[in-house]
Amino acid sequence: MEKRILLFFVFALLIQSVEAQKTDIQALLGAATKFFPLLNAKQMEIQALKKRSDLVDIAKRPSLDASYQADLATYNNLTGMFLSNGITPISGPPSVKNFFEPVFGSAAALLATWQPFAFGQDVRQKKVIDSEANVKKAESDNELFYYQIRVLNAYLDWQLAGELVDVFQKNVERAEELSKQVNALTINGLKPASDSAMLIGEISRLKIEVLNAQKLQEAYRISLNNFIGTNDNFKKERLFFEKLPVLDALQTVDNHPLIRLSTSQIGVGEAQIELIKNQLVPKLQFWGTTYARGSGVKANGETNFINGLGLQRFNYGFGAQISYPLLRGAEIKTQTQAQEILTESYRERLKNNKIQLTENQRIAANTLESALKVVREMPNQKQANDYVLQALTGRYKNGLVAFSEIIQAQYGVIKTESDTKKAYWEAWKALLFQSATGGDVNIFLNQLN
């Protein structure tokens, strides 16, 4: 009964440890998502596009413009029509001769315009804007996804650096323990003093390795904090170096954020084609106006310098205008062809992205499979190197081998230990690569339980 209770508590502690690991990583990703400045920028761009969509509806409302002007100018005039390009027209009857005496003139008006029927142009404009918003959303999802991948990548780098610090520190302790034995043999005259000196140099070298590993760990910590905008210390997790990920079946790439981004770009292109084609529709506009004019020149030709500042004649009018672009067919056709070519380029880009992601998935799966095989081979190396070190240490005490051979054997042991850590790390890195190519960070996270 007591054994069952003990097993239950051990199992509960293991579950709690795994859940804590998953929670820590989820909290890390949550902090990174909240801090990610580019994500906030993309969200603002989407909000701006929604405002542009609202403008399409606002543009359908009647507009009302008020104006007033006063001027001082000559009043010479001729009847007849002309194109007012670069010429300011003068209203009024023709003058009998040129007068260079200026008089005041004034005008005030209210002009209302309304275009209630857009013949589908407004619908297509909103479709283009909505498609652009979809692109921004897809860009946001894609940027966030790869940002999370980079965060997890930095997290694994920091974990490995911490493990290597422990490995090198353990090797220092092992060398210091050996130093006690060598010093005792040296004092008793059983071994030359050069062995102690050699071991002192080796211990110093090993301590330098620890310092370099600590420096690298701190660099990874700073890099990881840059992703979340803090200066935290992180918890070391043994799970990554005790458990191996499982090689799963390849995921389809159709739901990858990059594929969704490429698909949304095609949607924008198709919406643009519809909008361009729809330019060959009539435009119907209603208008109404009331206005007044003032002039310093009377109908009989008499002038009064100041009277022009007052309004003397009042008018109003209503009307409707329908227009059709008769000669824009070739222009619209060319614009449509250009947009169709651009949209086709988006489709080709989509095909290329699918090919690349599928290829990278296979590479990721092969990398993970190879990493798993390497990890499974490492215990054999460790067992062999430990045995060699133990055997050489015994033979050294009996004077059968030189001390340099023990140093070499120690190097083999520490290399195996560090290589084992790296092999586990490479397996988890390969799984992270598989997540990146599969478009789903949960491919990585789900194997933490």
Side-chain angles (χ1 to χ4, degrees):
M1 183 66 182
E2 292 180 355
K3 290 183 177 180
R4 290 182 180 180
I5 295 175
L6 180 60
L7 288 173
F8 173 79
F9 279 109
V10 170
F11 181 74
L13 288 173
L14 289 174
I15 293 296
Q16 185 178 3
S17 176
V18 169
E19 288 300 321
Q21 162 71 14
K22 193 170 183 179
T23 302
D24 288 343
I25 293 183
Q26 292 286 8
L28 181 66
L29 292 178
T33 301
K34 185 177 180 180
F35 173 73
F36 191 27
L38 187 57
L39 182 62
N40 297 329
K42 294 294 182 183
Q43 293 297 329
M44 293 177 184
E45 291 174 359
I46 293 173
Q47 293 175 10
L49 284 170
K50 290 181 179 179
K51 293 298 182 181
R52 278 180 52 195
S53 182
D54 294 340
L55 280 176
V56 176
D57 293 327
I58 294 174
K60 295 170 64 176
R61 300 174 185 175
S63 65
L64 182 64
D65 299 321
S67 63
Y68 173 83
Q69 62 173 311
D71 54 63
L72 179 66
T74 57
Y75 51 92
N76 302 308
N77 195 30
L78 291 173
T79 59
M81 183 176 65
F82 64 93
L83 179 65
S84 59
N85 184 12
I87 301 174
T88 302
I90 302 174
S91 63
S95 56
V96 296
K97 63 178 181 179
N98 285 326
F99 297 97
F100 294 101
E101 174 190 358
V103 295
F104 279 107
S106 60
L110 285 174
L111 175 64
T113 57
W114 184 32
Q115 189 174 338
F117 306 111
F119 298 96
Q121 192 74 354
D122 55 338
V123 175
R124 287 165 176 79
Q125 285 178 340
K126 294 187 71 172
K127 186 175 181 180
V128 169
I129 294 172
D130 291 343
S131 298
E132 291 175 348
N134 290 337
V135 170
K136 294 299 181 183
K137 176 64 168 60
E139 286 178 350
S140 176
D141 293 343
N142 189 57
E143 292 286 349
L144 176 59
F145 171 70
Y146 281 111
Y147 193 75
Q148 290 177 329
I149 293 295
R150 292 196 295 272
V151 170
L152 291 174
N153 186 70
Y155 185 70
L156 287 176
D157 288 341
W158 181 83
Q159 292 289 348
L160 175 64
E163 289 294 315
L164 292 181
V165 169
D166 292 343
V167 168
F168 294 145
Q169 184 61 48
K170 180 181 176 182
N171 202 45
V172 169
E173 295 171 359
R174 185 188 295 120
E176 289 175 342
E177 182 64 27
L178 179 62
S179 176
K180 296 177 182 178
Q181 301 177 23
V182 172
N183 288 337
L185 294 173
T186 301
I187 292 173
N188 293 326
L190 299 177
K191 295 294 179 184
S194 60
D195 287 358
S196 294
M198 185 182 297
L199 188 54
I200 291 173
E202 179 65 13
I203 292 174
S204 176
R205 186 187 68 81
L206 295 177
K207 288 181 177 179
I208 291 174
E209 283 188 342
V210 172
L211 293 174
N212 287 333
Q214 289 174 339
K215 179 181 70 174
L216 186 61
Q217 183 187 24
E218 179 62 14
Y220 283 135
R221 188 190 71 84
I222 294 172
S223 176
L224 188 55
N225 273 303
N226 285 337
F227 284 110
I228 59 177
T230 63
N231 190 30
D232 294 341
N233 289 314
F234 304 99
K235 180 182 177 182
K236 289 174 61 178
E237 299 295 345
R238 300 292 304 168
L239 178 143
F240 293 116
F241 304 95
E242 295 176 350
K243 175 186 175 181
L244 286 174
V246 178
L247 181 62
D248 289 333
L250 296 181
Q251 302 288 324
T252 176
V253 300
D254 292 339
N255 200 40
H256 194 286
L258 182 60
I259 299 302
R260 295 202 302 270
L261 174 58
S262 298
T263 303
S264 64
Q265 289 172 335
I266 295 174
V268 171
E270 293 174 342
Q272 288 281 9
I273 291 173
E274 292 182 16
L275 180 62
I276 293 171
K277 288 181 177 179
N278 201 61
Q279 292 181 25
L280 288 174
V281 295
K283 291 180 173 60
L284 178 62
Q285 183 182 60
F286 296 94
W287 60 269
T289 182
T290 178
Y291 65 96
R293 284 281 287 118
S295 176
V297 182
K298 294 183 178 181
N300 59 8
E302 294 181 9
T303 62
N304 188 310
F305 183 77
I306 201 67
N307 278 358
L309 294 178
L311 302 175
Q312 301 148 10
R313 296 292 186 269
F314 302 89
N315 297 280
Y316 66 87
F318 304 95
Q321 173 181 285
I322 187 167
S323 61
Y324 184 84
L326 295 174
L327 299 180
R328 291 195 63 199
E331 176 188 348
I332 300 302
K333 182 179 179 181
T334 302
Q335 288 182 355
T336 301
Q337 290 173 343
Q339 188 60 49
E340 286 174 344
I341 293 172
L342 185 60
T343 304
E344 189 61 30
S345 73
Y346 295 151
R347 293 191 179 95
E348 293 300 317
R349 192 181 301 274
L350 173 62
K351 293 178 184 177
N352 181 74
N353 288 338
K354 285 186 176 181
I355 292 172
Q356 287 290 335
L357 288 173
T358 302
E359 178 183 351
N360 288 339
Q361 269 202 333
R362 296 193 184 101
I363 294 174
N366 181 67
T367 303
L368 178 55
E369 185 177 7
S370 299
L372 294 177
K373 291 179 180 178
V374 170
V375 172
R376 295 186 181 105
E377 281 296 324
M378 296 311 297
N380 296 329
Q381 282 198 20
K382 177 172 173 49
Q383 183 179 5
N385 286 326
D386 287 345
Y387 176 80
V388 169
L389 178 61
Q390 183 179 2
L392 288 177
T393 301
R395 297 181 68 185
Y396 169 76
K397 293 178 180 179
N398 295 325
L400 300 177
V401 296
F403 184 70
S404 59
E405 293 187 45
I406 294 183
I407 298 296
Q408 186 64 31
Q410 275 193 326
Y411 174 78
V413 169
I414 190 174
K415 186 175 186 307
T416 300
E417 291 175 350
S418 61
D419 285 349
T420 300
K421 301 296 184 182
K422 290 177 182 178
Y424 273 92
W425 170 79
E426 287 174 356
W428 284 101
K429 279 269 191 169
L431 180 65
L432 184 60
F433 184 28
Q434 198 172 38
S435 289
T437 58
D440 186 3
V441 72
N442 288 318
I443 296 175
F444 179 87
L445 296 179
N446 288 341
Q447 294 212 28
L448 298 179
N449 52 24

